[in-house]
Protein backbone atom coordinates (compact mmCIF):
# COMPACT_ATOMS: atom_id res chain seq x y z
CA UNK A 1 0.00 0.00 0.00
CA UNK A 2 2.86 2.36 0.73
CA UNK A 3 5.02 3.85 -1.98
CA UNK A 4 8.79 3.80 -1.60
CA UNK A 5 9.97 6.50 0.80
CA UNK A 6 12.42 8.90 -0.80
CA UNK A 7 15.93 8.36 0.55
CA UNK A 8 17.61 11.55 -0.57
CA UNK A 9 16.81 14.64 1.48
CA UNK A 10 16.52 18.12 -0.01
CA UNK A 11 18.83 20.92 1.02
CA UNK A 12 17.85 23.07 3.92
CA UNK A 13 15.37 25.86 3.29
CA UNK A 14 14.73 29.11 5.11
CA UNK A 15 14.69 29.01 8.89
CA UNK A 16 11.33 28.69 10.59
CA UNK A 17 10.22 31.13 13.27
CA UNK A 18 11.01 30.47 16.92
CA UNK A 19 7.64 31.03 18.58
CA UNK A 20 6.63 28.02 20.66
CA UNK A 21 3.58 26.88 22.59
CA UNK A 22 3.05 24.61 25.56
CA UNK A 23 -0.58 23.68 25.77
CA UNK A 24 -2.67 23.11 28.85
CA UNK A 25 -6.33 22.14 28.85
CA UNK A 26 -7.23 25.65 30.02
CA UNK A 27 -5.29 27.36 27.24
CA UNK A 28 -6.57 25.15 24.42
CA UNK A 29 -10.03 26.74 24.41
CA UNK A 30 -8.58 30.25 24.36
CA UNK A 31 -6.19 29.26 21.58
CA UNK A 32 -9.10 27.98 19.50
CA UNK A 33 -11.04 31.23 19.88
CA UNK A 34 -8.03 33.33 18.91
CA UNK A 35 -7.09 31.01 16.05
CA UNK A 36 -10.63 30.96 14.70
CA UNK A 37 -10.86 34.75 14.64
CA UNK A 38 -7.46 34.98 12.99
CA UNK A 39 -8.34 32.47 10.29
CA UNK A 40 -11.69 34.10 9.56
CA UNK A 41 -9.99 37.50 9.37
CA UNK A 42 -7.43 36.18 6.87
CA UNK A 43 -9.98 34.46 4.68
CA UNK A 44 -12.59 37.20 4.83
CA UNK A 45 -9.90 39.76 4.11
CA UNK A 46 -8.99 37.84 0.99
CA UNK A 47 -12.63 37.43 0.01
CA UNK A 48 -13.75 41.02 0.59
CA UNK A 49 -10.93 43.23 -0.62
CA UNK A 50 -11.97 43.60 -4.26
CA UNK A 51 -14.02 46.70 -5.12
CA UNK A 52 -16.32 44.72 -7.41
CA UNK A 53 -17.47 42.69 -4.40
CA UNK A 54 -16.32 39.39 -5.87
CA UNK A 55 -13.47 39.07 -3.38
CA UNK A 56 -9.73 39.07 -3.86
CA UNK A 57 -9.87 35.46 -4.94
CA UNK A 58 -12.18 36.40 -7.80
CA UNK A 59 -13.26 33.43 -9.87
CA UNK A 60 -9.94 31.60 -9.69
CA UNK A 61 -7.95 32.05 -6.48
CA UNK A 62 -8.26 29.27 -3.92
CA UNK A 63 -8.39 29.43 -0.11
CA UNK A 64 -7.07 26.39 1.76
CA UNK A 65 -6.70 25.22 5.35
CA UNK A 66 -3.90 22.67 5.70
CA UNK A 67 -2.35 20.52 8.41
CA UNK A 68 0.90 21.92 9.79
CA UNK A 69 3.00 18.98 8.56
CA UNK A 70 2.39 20.22 4.99
CA UNK A 71 4.07 23.57 5.66
CA UNK A 72 7.06 23.00 3.37
CA UNK A 73 5.82 20.45 0.84
CA UNK A 74 2.62 22.35 0.09
CA UNK A 75 4.47 25.64 -0.33
CA UNK A 76 6.43 24.00 -3.14
CA UNK A 77 3.25 22.63 -4.71
CA UNK A 78 1.54 26.03 -4.50
CA UNK A 79 4.50 27.61 -6.31
CA UNK A 80 4.37 25.00 -9.07
CA UNK A 81 0.60 25.42 -9.41
CA UNK A 82 0.93 29.18 -9.76
CA UNK A 83 3.61 28.75 -12.43
CA UNK A 84 1.44 26.31 -14.37
CA UNK A 85 -1.97 27.95 -14.04
CA UNK A 86 -1.46 31.54 -12.89
CA UNK A 87 -3.92 30.86 -10.05
CA UNK A 88 -3.11 32.13 -6.55
CA UNK A 89 -3.57 29.72 -3.64
CA UNK A 90 -3.76 31.09 -0.10
CA UNK A 91 -2.94 28.57 2.64
CA UNK A 92 -3.43 28.75 6.39
CA UNK A 93 -1.53 26.06 8.33
CA UNK A 94 -2.48 24.73 11.74
CA UNK A 95 -3.78 21.88 13.84
CA UNK A 96 -6.19 19.58 12.01
CA UNK A 97 -8.56 19.41 14.98
CA UNK A 98 -8.71 23.15 15.56
CA UNK A 99 -9.18 23.82 11.85
CA UNK A 100 -12.02 21.31 11.80
CA UNK A 101 -13.74 23.37 14.49
CA UNK A 102 -13.12 26.54 12.48
CA UNK A 103 -14.76 25.01 9.41
CA UNK A 104 -17.71 23.81 11.49
CA UNK A 105 -18.06 27.39 12.71
CA UNK A 106 -18.10 28.84 9.20
CA UNK A 107 -14.51 29.59 8.18
CA UNK A 108 -14.86 30.34 4.43
CA UNK A 109 -12.36 27.99 2.82
CA UNK A 110 -12.50 25.94 -0.37
CA UNK A 111 -10.35 22.92 0.49
CA UNK A 112 -9.25 21.32 3.76
CA UNK A 113 -6.13 19.14 3.81
CA UNK A 114 -6.32 17.20 7.08
CA UNK A 115 -3.55 15.17 8.69
CA UNK A 116 -5.76 12.13 9.19
CA UNK A 117 -9.06 10.57 8.15
CA UNK A 118 -11.11 11.04 11.33
CA UNK A 119 -11.47 14.83 11.21
CA UNK A 120 -12.20 14.90 7.48
CA UNK A 121 -14.81 12.18 8.03
CA UNK A 122 -16.32 14.25 10.83
CA UNK A 123 -16.82 17.19 8.46
CA UNK A 124 -18.36 14.93 5.83
CA UNK A 125 -20.75 13.29 8.27
CA UNK A 126 -21.65 16.68 9.75
CA UNK A 127 -22.66 18.07 6.38
CA UNK A 128 -19.75 20.51 6.12
CA UNK A 129 -18.22 19.08 2.95
CA UNK A 130 -19.37 18.86 -0.65
CA UNK A 131 -18.10 15.31 -1.12
CA UNK A 132 -16.52 12.32 0.56
CA UNK A 133 -12.99 12.52 2.04
CA UNK A 134 -10.18 11.78 -0.42
CA UNK A 135 -6.82 10.36 0.80
CA UNK A 136 -3.88 12.28 -0.66
CA UNK A 137 -0.84 11.19 1.40
CA UNK A 138 0.52 8.97 4.15
CA UNK A 139 2.23 10.77 7.02
CA UNK A 140 5.09 9.32 9.05
CA UNK A 141 6.67 10.09 12.41
CA UNK A 142 10.27 11.06 13.09
CA UNK A 143 12.41 11.62 16.17
CA UNK A 144 14.12 15.01 16.37
CA UNK A 145 16.71 16.51 18.72
CA UNK A 146 18.22 20.01 18.83
CA UNK A 147 21.30 20.63 16.74
CA UNK A 148 24.19 19.00 18.56
CA UNK A 149 21.88 16.63 20.43
CA UNK A 150 22.17 12.85 20.44
CA UNK A 151 19.45 10.78 18.83
CA UNK A 152 18.35 7.57 20.56
CA UNK A 153 19.42 4.26 19.09
CA UNK A 154 16.33 2.89 17.37
CA UNK A 155 17.66 -0.64 17.77
CA UNK A 156 16.74 -0.24 21.46
CA UNK A 157 13.61 1.90 21.61
CA UNK A 158 13.85 2.03 25.40
CA UNK A 159 16.63 4.57 24.92
CA UNK A 160 13.81 7.09 24.69
CA UNK A 161 13.62 6.84 28.48
CA UNK A 162 17.27 7.90 28.86
CA UNK A 163 17.55 10.70 31.47
CA UNK A 164 19.15 13.02 28.90
CA UNK A 165 15.69 13.36 27.32
CA UNK A 166 14.29 15.27 30.27
CA UNK A 167 11.67 17.10 28.18
CA UNK A 168 9.95 15.34 25.28
CA UNK A 169 7.70 17.29 22.92
CA UNK A 170 4.71 15.96 21.01
CA UNK A 171 1.77 17.66 19.33
CA UNK A 172 -1.33 18.04 21.47
CA UNK A 173 -3.20 14.75 20.98
CA UNK A 174 -6.55 16.36 21.75
CA UNK A 175 -6.60 18.07 18.35
CA UNK A 176 -3.40 17.18 16.47
CA UNK A 177 -3.27 13.80 14.68
CA UNK A 178 0.52 13.64 14.92
CA UNK A 179 0.15 13.92 18.69
CA UNK A 180 -2.29 11.02 18.67
CA UNK A 181 0.14 9.00 16.56
CA UNK A 182 2.98 9.84 18.96
CA UNK A 183 0.85 8.72 21.92
CA UNK A 184 0.07 5.44 20.21
CA UNK A 185 3.71 4.90 19.31
CA UNK A 186 4.82 5.43 22.92
CA UNK A 187 2.00 3.23 24.16
CA UNK A 188 2.95 0.46 21.74
CA UNK A 189 6.56 0.70 22.89
CA UNK A 190 5.44 0.33 26.50
CA UNK A 191 6.85 3.76 27.39
CA UNK A 192 3.83 6.06 27.60
CA UNK A 193 3.23 5.95 31.34
CA UNK A 194 6.93 6.16 32.15
CA UNK A 195 7.47 9.17 29.87
CA UNK A 196 4.17 10.97 30.45
CA UNK A 197 5.63 13.27 33.18
CA UNK A 198 8.27 14.46 30.70
CA UNK A 199 5.84 15.36 27.91
CA UNK A 200 5.16 18.91 26.74
CA UNK A 201 2.72 19.74 23.97
CA UNK A 202 2.85 21.92 20.86
CA UNK A 203 -0.41 23.27 19.46
CA UNK A 204 0.43 21.46 16.24
CA UNK A 205 3.29 19.37 14.91
CA UNK A 206 5.17 22.40 13.53
CA UNK A 207 5.08 24.10 16.93
CA UNK A 208 6.33 20.82 18.39
CA UNK A 209 9.32 20.99 16.08
CA UNK A 210 10.00 24.55 17.21
CA UNK A 211 10.18 23.37 20.81
CA UNK A 212 13.03 21.12 19.69
CA UNK A 213 14.72 23.75 17.52
CA UNK A 214 14.84 26.27 20.35
CA UNK A 215 16.11 23.74 22.88
CA UNK A 216 12.90 23.91 24.93
CA UNK A 217 12.64 20.14 24.45
CA UNK A 218 15.43 17.57 24.40
CA UNK A 219 13.55 15.27 22.05
CA UNK A 220 10.48 15.56 19.86
CA UNK A 221 8.18 13.25 17.95
CA UNK A 222 7.45 15.23 14.80
CA UNK A 223 6.42 14.79 11.18
CA UNK A 224 8.94 13.03 8.97
CA UNK A 225 8.06 15.67 6.35
CA UNK A 226 10.24 18.13 8.28
CA UNK A 227 13.43 16.08 7.89
CA UNK A 228 14.32 17.27 4.36
CA UNK A 229 14.08 20.84 5.65
CA UNK A 230 16.22 20.24 8.73
CA UNK A 231 17.57 23.40 10.34
CA UNK A 232 18.54 23.81 14.01
CA UNK A 233 17.72 20.14 14.57
CA UNK A 234 18.45 16.71 13.21
CA UNK A 235 16.28 13.66 13.18
CA UNK A 236 15.57 10.15 12.05
CA UNK A 237 12.56 8.48 10.49
CA UNK A 238 10.65 6.07 12.72
CA UNK A 239 9.97 2.79 10.98
CA UNK A 240 6.28 2.68 9.99
CA UNK A 241 6.11 -0.86 11.38
CA UNK A 242 6.24 0.63 14.90
CA UNK A 243 2.93 2.53 14.52
CA UNK A 244 0.10 3.16 12.06
CA UNK A 245 0.97 5.88 9.50
CA UNK A 246 -1.51 8.73 9.20
CA UNK A 247 -3.92 8.53 6.27
CA UNK A 248 -3.96 12.21 5.34
CA UNK A 249 -7.27 13.14 3.77
CA UNK A 250 -8.82 16.09 1.94
CA UNK A 251 -12.37 17.42 1.80
CA UNK A 252 -13.94 20.18 -0.24
CA UNK A 253 -15.90 22.31 2.20
CA UNK A 254 -19.30 23.95 1.79
CA UNK A 255 -18.22 27.36 3.05
CA UNK A 256 -15.86 28.41 0.28
CA UNK A 257 -16.51 30.67 -2.70
CA UNK A 258 -14.44 28.59 -5.12
CA UNK A 259 -15.02 24.91 -4.45
CA UNK A 260 -14.29 24.04 -8.08
CA UNK A 261 -10.93 25.78 -7.73
CA UNK A 262 -10.29 23.71 -4.62
CA UNK A 263 -11.14 20.57 -6.56
CA UNK A 264 -8.71 21.47 -9.34
CA UNK A 265 -5.92 22.19 -6.86
CA UNK A 266 -6.55 18.86 -5.11
CA UNK A 267 -6.25 17.13 -8.47
CA UNK A 268 -2.89 18.87 -8.94
CA UNK A 269 -1.71 17.66 -5.52
CA UNK A 270 -2.63 14.11 -6.52
CA UNK A 271 -1.08 14.41 -9.99
CA UNK A 272 2.40 13.00 -10.73
CA UNK A 273 3.84 16.49 -10.18
CA UNK A 274 2.28 16.83 -6.73
CA UNK A 275 3.07 13.24 -5.79
CA UNK A 276 6.74 13.78 -6.65
CA UNK A 277 6.91 16.77 -4.30
CA UNK A 278 5.15 14.87 -1.51
CA UNK A 279 7.54 11.95 -1.94
CA UNK A 280 10.56 14.26 -1.68
CA UNK A 281 9.21 15.37 1.67
CA UNK A 282 8.91 11.75 2.81
CA UNK A 283 5.15 11.38 2.48
CA UNK A 284 3.80 8.10 1.23
CA UNK A 285 1.31 8.05 -1.65
CA UNK A 286 -1.88 6.01 -1.09
CA UNK A 287 -2.72 3.53 -3.82
Amino acid sequence: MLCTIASVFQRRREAMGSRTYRTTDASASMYFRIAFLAVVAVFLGAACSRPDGQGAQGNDDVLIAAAADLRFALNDIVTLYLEETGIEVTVNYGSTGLMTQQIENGAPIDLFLAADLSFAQRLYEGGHSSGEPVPYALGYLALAVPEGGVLPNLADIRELSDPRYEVIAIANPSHAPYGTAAFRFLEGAGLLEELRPRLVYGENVLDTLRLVQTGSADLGLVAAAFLPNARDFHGVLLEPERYEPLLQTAVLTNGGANIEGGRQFLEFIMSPVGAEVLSRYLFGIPE
Side-chain angles (χ1 to χ4, degrees):
M1 177 179 179
L2 308 183
C3 74
T4 303
I5 298 175
S7 60
V8 180
F9 290 166
Q10 283 186 308
R11 293 183 176 181
R12 297 178 178 185
R13 296 177 182 273
E14 294 181 355
M16 290 179 287
S18 60
R19 186 178 181 185
T20 61
Y21 301 88
R22 295 194 184 190
T23 303
T24 64
D25 291 340
S27 66
S29 176
M30 179 178 294
Y31 177 86
F32 163 68
R33 290 193 295 269
I34 295 172
F36 173 70
L37 292 174
V39 170
V40 171
V42 169
F43 289 140
L44 287 180
C48 299
S49 60
R50 277 181 45 162
D52 60 8
Q54 294 182 15
Q57 71 180 112
N59 295 323
D60 296 322
D61 296 354
V62 183
L63 305 179
I64 294 176
D69 66 310
L70 292 166
R71 174 66 175 80
F72 303 109
L74 194 60
N75 277 2
D76 284 3
I77 293 174
V78 166
T79 298
L80 292 171
Y81 190 69
L82 176 62
E83 292 173 353
E84 181 168 315
T85 67
I87 295 173
E88 296 278 355
V89 175
T90 299
V91 185
N92 183 65
Y93 297 96
S95 157
T96 289
L98 294 180
M99 286 187 159
T100 297
Q101 295 178 55
Q102 292 160 7
I103 292 168
E104 290 170 334
N105 283 277
I109 69 168
D110 303 311
L111 174 66
F112 178 41
L113 299 171
D116 74 347
L117 173 61
S118 66
F119 286 103
Q121 188 69 25
R122 171 173 142 184
L123 290 175
Y124 173 65
E125 293 176 355
H128 298 284
S129 74
S130 63
E132 294 185 7
V134 178
Y136 64 88
L138 293 162
Y140 302 105
L141 285 171
L143 295 176
V145 296
E147 194 166 19
V150 178
L151 284 163
N153 179 6
L154 292 184
D156 181 8
I157 203 64
R158 289 203 60 82
E159 275 202 18
L160 290 174
S161 62
D162 190 288
R164 66 173 171 257
Y165 306 123
E166 184 178 354
V167 179
I168 300 174
I170 68 171
N172 191 325
S174 69
H175 52 246
Y178 275 89
T180 302
F183 247 52
R184 290 174 178 168
F185 163 73
L186 293 174
E187 189 173 40
L191 295 171
L192 179 58
E193 294 309 315
E194 179 181 354
L195 297 182
R196 192 187 294 269
R198 307 188 199 180
L199 297 180
V200 297
Y201 303 98
E203 283 295 343
N204 56 59
V205 72
L206 183 58
D207 287 329
T208 303
L209 176 64
R210 288 169 177 159
L211 288 169
V212 175
Q213 289 176 305
T214 59
S216 298
D218 306 301
L219 178 72
L221 280 84
V222 301
F226 298 150
L227 294 180
N229 209 63
R231 188 180 181 92
D232 299 326
F233 81 98
H234 61 111
V236 62
L237 183 73
L238 278 176
E239 301 95 328
E241 294 77 13
R242 295 182 182 270
Y243 61 94
E244 184 176 357
L246 291 88
L247 184 62
Q248 305 208 185
T249 310
V251 288
L252 296 160
T253 70
N254 290 334
N258 188 8
I259 295 175
E260 181 57 31
R263 189 188 315 278
Q264 292 173 7
F265 183 68
L266 178 58
E267 290 175 355
F268 187 79
I269 292 173
M270 299 176 68
S271 73
V273 173
E276 191 276 331
V277 175
L278 291 173
S279 294
R280 281 195 280 115
Y281 282 90
L282 306 186
F283 288 100
I285 307 301
E287 294 183 355

